[in-house]
Amino acid sequence: AQSVTQLDSHVSVSEGTPVLLRCNYSSSYSPSLFWYVQHPNKGLQLLLKYTSAATLVKGINGFEAEFKKSETSFHLTKPSAHMSDAAEYFCVVRDNQGGKLIFGQGTELSVKP
Amino acid sequence: EPEVTQTPSHQVTQMGQEVILRCVPISNHLYFYWYRQILGQKVEFLVSFYNNEISEKSEIFDDQFSVERPDGSNFTLKIRSTKLEDSAMYFCASSLTFSNQPQHFGDGTRLSIL
């Protein structure tokens, strides 16, 4: 069975400092991986996706993620945090059999001024 | 940019009542999904729908739940007799293809069962 584990439930950074949100995946197949963001009282917005092309994936709002097969990781990074980045972030793997999305527990990102 | 729209944004219902949550997927998308997120828990898959039939459903999606695409634009989730534990945020999503296109989500309907 496929799964994702987000290693931190809460991350706090200062504005202008780097962001690292960690995610490990488990999959028997070459996975399709995503990061989604959820701002308060809003829906789930796609940040970026990995579907077995380049291992370094660039997304919206300056976010990137690197697929590392040897470490089964798909960590999300951003060089410099903005206040507007404060939100809940979800690492997600797509089920290869049925297409449904399997979500991690979420990481709440706080950005201090 | 086209988006998935969900109505209502918040629904309050008495336990035992029927509720219908509505979604308008992106117009050229072919695959439709419902997920839910109970407060403080993970987002969970409920059901997927393609070509006017259910493709897959989770253990949560029991006989109290049903989905329908009554016309060319709407996609609905019905809960026949609501329970307290059905209180959650319900998200609709759609995608163009099964595999290599992402799912796009609506803003959700917050369902509160009293």
Side-chain angles (χ1 to χ4, degrees), chain B residues 1-88:
Chain B
E1 185 178 322
E3 55 183 36
V4 176
T5 57
Q6 290 186 243
T7 54
S9 57
H10 191 193
Q11 174 84 45
V12 181
T13 301
Q14 292 287 332
M15 187 171 60
Q17 295 296 304
E18 175 183 286
V19 67
I20 297 176
L21 310 183
R22 302 182 191 279
C23 170
V24 179
I26 294 173
S27 61
N28 63 336
H29 284 189
L30 301 175
Y31 296 83
F32 313 110
Y33 309 84
W34 284 101
Y35 295 82
R36 79 173 184 189
Q37 184 182 29
I38 294 172
L39 190 63
Q41 298 186 22
K42 283 189 193 185
V43 177
E44 307 170 285
F45 167 77
L46 290 177
V47 65
S48 58
F49 191 85
Y50 169 71
N51 200 25
N52 279 322
E53 58 183 33
I54 291 173
S55 311
E56 184 180 3
K57 58 184 181 180
S58 71
E59 293 173 354
I60 303 166
F61 195 88
D62 62 22
D63 291 345
Q64 293 299 312
F65 291 87
S66 62
V67 288
E68 195 177 34
R69 189 156 161 80
D71 51 43
S73 59
N74 291 284
F75 179 51
T76 61
L77 173 69
K78 183 194 289 187
I79 309 175
R80 223 176 313 276
S81 178
T82 50
K83 303 190 270 289
L84 293 175
E85 54 264 38
D86 294 327
S87 294

Side-chain angles (χ1 to χ4, degrees), chain A residues 4 32 34 36 38 41-46 49 51 90 94-101 103-105, chain B residues 33 35 37 41-45 48 56 89 91 95 97-108 110:
Chain A
V4 287
S32 294
F34 308 84
Y36 282 83
Q38 184 181 26
N41 300 314
K42 299 293 287 181
L44 295 155
Q45 181 184 19
L46 178 69
K49 63 177 180 178
T51 52
F90 294 95
R94 177 164 27 214
D95 175 60
N96 280 26
Q97 302 300 313
K100 66 178 180 279
L101 298 183
F103 283 74
Q105 301 91 321
Chain B
Y33 309 84
Y35 295 82
Q37 184 182 29
Q41 298 186 22
K42 283 189 193 185
V43 177
E44 307 170 285
F45 167 77
S48 58
E56 184 180 3
M89 180 73 92
F91 292 106
S95 64
T97 65
F98 167 79
S99 57
N100 61 356
Q101 293 295 320
Q103 294 176 22
H104 296 264
F105 284 79
D107 282 349
R110 181 167 297 285

